[in-house]
Amino acid sequence: MALAEKLGKANRHDVERPESVKLAKDRLTIRWAINENVNDDLISRGARSDAVDILEMVEGSAIDYDKVVLEGTFAMQDVKGNAAEDVVIRATYSFDELIGVNWENFNGENVWKISDKASVHREFQ
């Protein structure tokens, strides 16, 4: 799969990049595991870069969709020290919004801003 090649391998155990790709009623949902990095800022940058790569591939594909939903997952630890993979980013993009993006000049810092709706965990903003 081209998307798996573009994202590369996961650097965390027991996760896949992408985890799933589903198309239902013109809504394409892509879930991917966000890679670990040396600090929170670099993890967030990596997540934004992944999102840009995914959206660019989708926008340039022959897939028939009205909306794209991106779901980024990461192992989050609760107050008791237990870690579990959880969706930390959920962003929805309309076809019309993506079609106007100039991917060659696009600043990845704006990837959540161009979404119709985004929920980004505070550690990934």
Side-chain angles (χ1 to χ4, degrees):
M1 169 184 264
L3 182 56
E5 290 174 15
K6 182 78 169 171
L7 290 175
K9 293 189 181 225
N11 66 3
R12 298 185 292 120
H13 298 293
D14 302 325
V15 295
E16 297 292 327
R17 288 170 52 94
E19 293 179 14
S20 64
V21 177
K22 298 176 186 173
L23 180 61
K25 294 187 179 184
D26 298 330
R27 180 183 176 124
L28 178 64
T29 302
I30 299 172
R31 181 177 285 200
W32 87 101
I34 298 166
N35 271 337
E36 182 64 71
N37 213 317
V38 295
N39 62 43
D40 291 345
D41 183 53
L42 291 176
I43 294 169
S44 296
R45 286 182 190 198
R48 288 191 299 272
S49 178
D50 289 345
V52 170
D53 288 345
I54 293 167
L55 292 171
E56 183 178 10
M57 287 192 75
V58 167
E59 192 269 330
S61 74
I63 299 170
D64 187 21
Y65 66 91
D66 288 332
K67 298 253 182 223
V68 176
V69 179
L70 299 185
E71 296 178 337
T73 67
F74 200 78
M76 299 300 288
Q77 189 170 341
D78 66 17
V79 294
K80 293 184 178 183
N82 300 306
E85 195 74 11
D86 198 11
V87 174
V88 294
I89 296 168
R90 181 173 284 116
T92 303
Y93 301 84
S94 66
F95 172 84
D96 292 335
E97 186 64 42
L98 293 181
I99 203 73
V101 176
N102 179 347
W103 296 109
E104 289 183 24
N105 294 322
F106 183 71
N107 180 347
E109 295 290 318
N110 295 322
V111 72
W112 313 137
K113 293 177 185 174
I114 66 166
S115 69
D116 297 332
K117 182 179 178 183
S119 173
V120 181
H121 190 282
R122 67 183 177 277
E123 292 181 27
F124 294 86
Q125 293 181 358

